[in-house]
Amino acid sequence: MDSLGKARLLAVLVPAALLGGAYVAQYSFGLPPCEMCWWQRYPHFAALGIAGLSFVIQPARVWVALAGFAIITSGFIGGFHAGVEYGWWEGITGCSTLPSSVDVMNVSAAPLIRCDVAPWTLFGVSLAGFNFLISCTAGAAIVALAAYRK
């Protein structure tokens, strides 16, 4: 398989695997996403669509590279979110603060999902942290492979 084929395969598999993992965590393990978790999913959705275009529209290298940049974008959002979870900096959304008692009375039965609390960690790394690590390294590899020419 040439470098473009490898990049194309990664551009589809990486966001599909990360989105699949997010949905397994959500629906199988009861970890509903916060607002910032959703922000991380959107570039992966875009990456899947853009990577799909690389199979039908030329030049494929451009589409694969764009998919790689979308994956890296999700990784940077994940890195920011992980920093919020670890308390390195404050988040920019309302999901990083506790609601007032008035807000609690007006909220429906929907659970309050905090952005500044990691619902799950492995070796001290949250899901957002893993997204950062995987997306940035895989995204960079995709862009590099797409740029490589024989």
Side-chain angles (χ1 to χ4, degrees), residues 33-128:
C34 69
E35 183 178 355
M36 293 175 78
C37 293
W38 275 107
W39 294 354
Q40 295 170 70
R41 292 181 189 190
Y42 298 140
H44 284 309
F45 292 133
L48 281 173
I50 294 167
L53 290 175
S54 74
F55 289 95
V56 294
I57 301 175
Q58 295 298 323
R61 288 185 189 283
V62 171
W63 295 108
V64 172
L66 288 173
F69 284 121
I71 294 167
I72 290 170
T73 300
S74 177
F76 286 148
I77 296 168
F80 178 76
H81 186 190
V84 171
E85 291 174 335
Y86 302 145
W88 296 342
W89 45 74
E90 289 189 27
I92 57 175
T93 67
C95 67
S96 294
T97 59
L98 288 173
S100 68
S101 59
V102 174
D103 292 335
V104 172
M105 297 176 91
N106 293 329
V107 174
S108 66
L112 174 65
I113 310 301
R114 302 268 314 263
C115 293
D116 58 350
V117 177
W120 180 88
T121 61
L122 178 64
F123 307 118
V125 181
S126 68
L127 290 171

